[in-house]
Amino acid sequence: MDTAKPYLSILSLLLFFTFSIYFSSALPHQLSLVVGEGSSKVQISPSLKVVNSPGTKPGTWVLCERVDVHGFRRLKNLNKFFHSLKLKIPPSNSTLRRPDVEVCFHRNASRAIGMCPQGEWEKVDKGVSWVRAMSPYAHKFLDIRMVGSSSETLELSLEEGFFLYRVIFLILGVVMLSIASSLSKSLVFYYSSAMAIGIILVILVVLFQGMKLLPTGRKSSLAIFIYSSLVGLGTFLLRYLPGLLHSILMEMGISEDMYYPLAIFLLAFIAFAGAWMGFWAVRSFVLTEDGSVDISTSHFVAWSIRVLAVVLIIQSSLDPLLAAEALICGIIVSSILRRIIRWRFLRRMYK
């Protein structure tokens, strides 16, 4: 046993020097960016030479650097639930030729610097900012590599932002979970929803048919129709509907004095036609012979509303763990709200 002690001490010394040399050589190439501590910007000058990085030619070496990005602690910063962090590399202002820059945003701490798989590297276009969003509680790594013999200093900034629509998503999701069963049995909900959808469909059909009368042709009108559907019907109506009606009336040879009366008549006709279409759809496909809502349709609508509510709650935060916890809490709160509403309803009914 005594003879083994010198060997153990020598082995421990070798391990100590090995790890000290490793960390002393690795630390200069791994910068840290911690949210809420110190500066939110860091200057990056890749200097670590890496050979055979995935996606490069065999024998080619590139200059690499890694930035360790730390988010908030979850339990101590629950008020950051609706926030997100944004990593940004602004475009270079240098007039010199910039080497090709590629970045890899990942969470694998065991991966060597510059050794991301080929499909995970993203090229930073010249003159364009590179921006990526992340959870405020995440811990990720940003690997940067430059192809070429010269290196350039990049600036990486970390911005924190609050998004009100995430709060709306969470509240709306909990409310929809609470009233999904009631809405699926409400005739007012079916009639109002069907009439609104019918009006929108009639407006789209009228717009599409009206665009065919314009000199732009069928292909351009189809492209405008698809674009308006994607961007938003409201914005399209506010911007293009008056001009479209005016062009159609001019093509038909109607004077401008009749523009507003005909426009009001057309809008009233569209609303009436859409409302009638929705009313007919509800009477034909939703109601049974005795005038009640079909049970299978009610179940389908209720679960559709619940699925949409779950999606809204999950989208209320970028952090998947807290989003899942918010979903569980939302289900519990919605269940309590349903019981409270049902208890009050029964209490009023039996008074």
Side-chain angles (χ1 to χ4, degrees), residues 140-160:
K140 289 190 174 183
F141 304 93
L142 181 67
D143 285 9
I144 301 174
R145 71 180 183 184
M146 291 186 178
V147 181
S149 57
S150 61
S151 177
E152 182 182 354
T153 301
L154 302 176
E155 182 184 78
L156 177 66
S157 61
L158 187 61
E159 301 175 2
E160 179 186 355

Side-chain angles (χ1 to χ4, degrees), residues 287-328:
L287 301 183
T288 58
E289 295 180 356
D290 58 352
S292 60
V293 179
D294 183 67
I295 297 178
S296 59
T297 304
S298 176
H299 290 331
F300 173 77
V301 172
W303 280 107
S304 300
I305 296 174
R306 292 188 183 106
V307 170
L308 180 59
V310 169
V311 173
L312 289 175
I313 295 175
I314 293 177
Q315 293 298 318
S316 63
S317 178
L318 279 180
D319 187 70
L321 181 60
L322 288 183
E325 294 178 359
L327 176 59
I328 296 173

Side-chain angles (χ1 to χ4, degrees), residues 250-292:
M250 292 296 292
E251 290 288 333
M252 296 174 63
I254 300 176
S255 62
E256 295 185 0
D257 297 336
M258 296 294 295
Y259 171 71
Y260 287 105
L262 287 177
I264 294 174
F265 175 78
L266 180 60
L267 292 177
F269 173 77
I270 289 174
F272 177 78
W276 178 84
M277 184 182 297
F279 179 82
W280 174 81
V282 172
R283 297 288 297 182
S284 302
F285 303 105
V286 176
L287 301 183
T288 58
E289 295 180 356
D290 58 352
S292 60

